[in-house]
Amino acid sequence: MFNIRNKVHHNIELILVLIIVLLFSRGFIWINVLYFLFPLLLGILIVTDIQSLKQELLKYYEIIIYFPFVAVILLSALWSQHIVVTLTRSFYFLFLLFGMYIFSLKMEDFNLSIKKLFIPIITLVIIVSVLSLLLKFPTEYRTGGNGLGFMGFAAHQNTLGSIMFVFTSILNYTLFSLNKNESARGSKIYLLLLANLLSLFILISTFSRGAIISYFLFGVVFVLFEYGYKKTLLVIVSIAVVFLLLSRIDMVNQYLNYAGYKGADRIISSREAMYLGSFEAAKNGGLFGLGYGVSDQAISVGVPGDVVNGVFIREKGSTLLALVEETGIIGAILFYLPVGIVLWKGVRVKTLRQDQCYVHFVKLSVTNGMSVERSKELSFLIGIIIAMTVHSQIEAWGVGVGSVMLPVYLLFLARLSRKVKCMSY
């Protein structure tokens, strides 16, 4: 065990990058089988640092405060129609919770940033997606999925849109985090600008409305916390004016119309049946739900979904509605309570300009007691968590333990929790 721990320690950056790459392989056809190595590598990370986890649990209640939710989802197996499904998904959620927290600890211990760990997979996905657009390969690069936008090698347009929403946000944060010395190096900033533009173009090309809206929400929150409400208002007005001017161009107007309606009579036409079904199922969830990971079998006609092993699994759309259906009102509250606490503390640290946390970061310069680097990271984390929370109400990955987005969400929550731990004292 000591040798394994030693090897993990000396190769930690490579291991963390591999974990991220393996996680995102889940969203792409042909290589999604690699995802099964993700829990294996994450498990090794947990086992080799289990002592740190025990010590940290005594200090950081943000992870402990998720335990009541874990208790609820485990107990829901008692009344679940599919006990094995509920128990399996419950334990996997607990595994992801521990795993992403250990991941965050390692980032801090070895001074590794979100930017550094995500850039390899971001670069790879951008290159592959651009090649897919240029070569028009694979043959279903546009016609697969819902057939309404670009999907490239991804499993679906909305899958690629979700991934690019997160990637574009990280690239924007990276660009705005450049210090004066880095900005002076032309080649680096030009490559980063190109990556930002290509990433945004791919995101827009997916026509994934939820992902596009969530990205713009991230931008607004990031600018708000980093530059103040006056500049934010100016940016919003400027974007609105640009959109109004561009909408007079026929080609742009056609794009906006298609992006909004996707060929339907109403904007919500494609999701109406799904949300209505989820709303009815949520009403049946009551206080404790029907069982974590299960769908109300009484609601199966006229709603999107698939039969898996003789059980109908419904597409749920909204994480909140899905949580109420599966874990009840109590479970939904317990899931979002840690999110609210961490965000509230993050906003307090950011707005009060406190710099008393015991965290590792490079101090580039200090403004009002807070390093520029830490200030921007806090703005990024607050913005991305809020935007992802909204996005999960459109794609419902918050109850998808096998999704790409939920582990990333838990990682960002753990990262923000670490950054604001001074507020616990």
Side-chain angles (χ1 to χ4, degrees):
M1 176 61 75
F2 178 78
N3 288 335
I4 296 175
R5 187 182 296 114
N6 218 25
K7 288 180 180 179
V8 169
H9 180 86
H10 285 96
N11 298 281
I12 191 65
E13 184 175 340
L14 175 61
I15 290 172
L16 296 186
V17 168
L18 277 175
I19 288 174
I20 294 295
V21 171
L22 293 171
L23 170 60
F24 279 94
S25 71
R26 177 75 161 180
F28 296 89
I29 55 177
W30 300 356
I31 64 166
N32 55 16
V33 67
L34 294 175
Y35 171 79
F36 294 102
L37 295 174
F38 162 73
L40 175 64
L41 206 54
L42 191 62
I44 292 173
L45 191 69
I46 295 173
V47 170
T48 55
D49 205 22
I50 197 69
Q51 270 313 116
S52 294
L53 182 60
K54 289 178 182 178
Q55 295 170 2
E56 296 299 323
L57 284 176
L58 299 176
K59 298 178 184 178
Y60 304 107
Y61 69 84
E62 283 82 4
I63 189 171
I64 295 179
I65 207 169
Y66 251 124
F67 286 178
F69 174 73
V70 173
V72 167
I73 61 179
L74 284 169
L75 285 172
S76 71
L78 296 175
W79 52 83
S80 172
Q81 293 181 346
H82 309 287
I83 299 174
V84 175
V85 171
T86 296
L87 286 176
T88 302
R89 293 172 72 89
S90 299
F91 280 115
Y92 196 63
F93 177 85
L94 184 61
F95 170 76
L96 291 176
L97 186 64
F98 283 147
M100 290 299 104
Y101 201 81
I102 286 287
F103 192 108
S104 180
L105 286 178
K106 290 302 181 184
M107 288 177 65
E108 181 178 316
D109 290 342
F110 291 87
N111 199 25
L112 299 170
S113 65
I114 291 170
K115 298 172 288 185
K116 191 170 187 178
L117 297 179
F118 276 79
I119 285 299
I121 186 63
I122 292 174
T123 303
L124 182 61
V125 171
I126 288 176
I127 291 172
V128 169
S129 297
V130 169
L131 287 175
S132 176
L133 275 168
L134 293 175
L135 301 176
K136 298 182 179 180
F137 184 82
T139 53
E140 66 275 13
Y141 80 109
R142 280 188 180 277
T143 58
N146 58 26
L148 299 174
F150 172 67
M151 61 180 280
F153 289 92
H156 194 278
Q157 287 84 357
N158 291 336
T159 303
L160 183 60
S162 300
I163 291 171
M164 296 315 299
F165 143 55
V166 173
F167 286 179
T168 309
S169 301
I170 293 173
L171 284 172
N172 289 174
Y173 159 53
T174 305
L175 183 63
F176 281 96
S177 296
L178 289 177
N179 59 41
K180 292 179 181 179
N181 292 332
E182 290 175 314
S183 300
R185 294 164 58 183
S187 58
K188 181 172 183 177
I189 194 168
Y190 290 143
L191 284 173
L192 195 49
L193 277 169
L194 178 62
N196 272 264
L197 291 172
L198 287 175
S199 182
L200 181 58
F201 177 74
I202 294 166
L203 170 60
I204 292 172
S205 298
T206 65
F207 286 92
S208 179
R209 294 172 297 191
I212 294 170
I213 291 170
S214 299
Y215 163 69
F216 280 108
L217 175 60
F218 160 78
V220 169
V221 176
F222 179 80
V223 173
L224 176 64
F225 280 100
E226 196 56 36
Y227 301 103
Y229 72 92
K230 290 182 180 179
K231 290 185 179 179
T232 303
L233 186 60
L234 180 62
V235 169
I236 292 173
V237 171
S238 299
I239 292 174
V241 171
V242 170
F243 264 101
L244 285 173
L245 293 174
L246 289 176
S247 65
R248 294 180 176 275
I249 301 173
D250 188 53
M251 184 175 68
V252 176
N253 191 48
Q254 286 180 15
Y255 170 83
L256 293 175
N257 184 69
Y258 180 74
Y261 291 89
K262 292 189 175 182
D265 296 330
R266 293 181 298 163
I267 291 177
I268 62 170
S269 291
S270 61
R271 291 176 171 265
E272 187 173 8
M274 177 173 61
Y275 279 111
L276 287 175
S278 291
F279 181 72
E280 290 301 317
K283 289 195 292 185
N284 296 334
L287 282 177
F288 296 102
L290 306 174
Y292 190 56
V294 305
S295 298
D296 189 341
Q297 298 300 297
I299 302 173
S300 59
V301 179
V303 293
D306 295 300
V307 176
V308 180
N309 298 325
V311 179
F312 182 73
I313 305 298
R314 196 181 71 259
E315 291 184 33
K316 302 188 177 182
S318 166
T319 292
L320 179 59
L321 292 177
L323 281 169
V324 175
E325 175 186 359
E326 297 178 14
T327 66
I329 295 172
I330 291 177
I333 291 172
L334 292 176
F335 179 85
Y336 282 115
L337 184 61
V339 179
I341 290 174
V342 173
L343 279 174
W344 174 71
K345 290 171 69 176
V347 171
R348 284 197 65 192
V349 171
K350 178 66 185 176
T351 54
L352 295 176
R353 289 289 189 265
Q354 297 185 33
D355 194 22
Q356 304 165 6
C357 299
Y358 308 105
V359 295
H360 300 289
F361 54 83
V362 179
K363 285 203 173 188
L364 303 174
S365 62
V366 177
T367 304
N368 294 329
M370 180 179 289
S371 73
V372 171
E373 175 66 19
R374 180 166 175 262
S375 173
K376 285 186 167 55
E377 184 174 8
L378 279 175
S379 297
F380 165 76
L381 289 169
I382 293 169
I384 197 68
I385 290 170
I386 289 174
M388 289 183 77
T389 301
V390 171
H391 183 260
S392 71
Q393 308 313 320
I394 302 170
E395 295 297 338
W397 47 258
V399 290
V401 293
S403 69
V404 173
M405 299 291 277
L406 181 58
V408 177
Y409 187 63
L410 293 175
L411 173 60
F412 290 153
L413 280 171
R415 189 67 176 161
L416 182 57
S417 171
R418 298 288 301 176
K419 287 293 178 184
V420 300
K421 78 177 196 177
C422 57
M423 297 300 295
S424 300
Y425 298 96

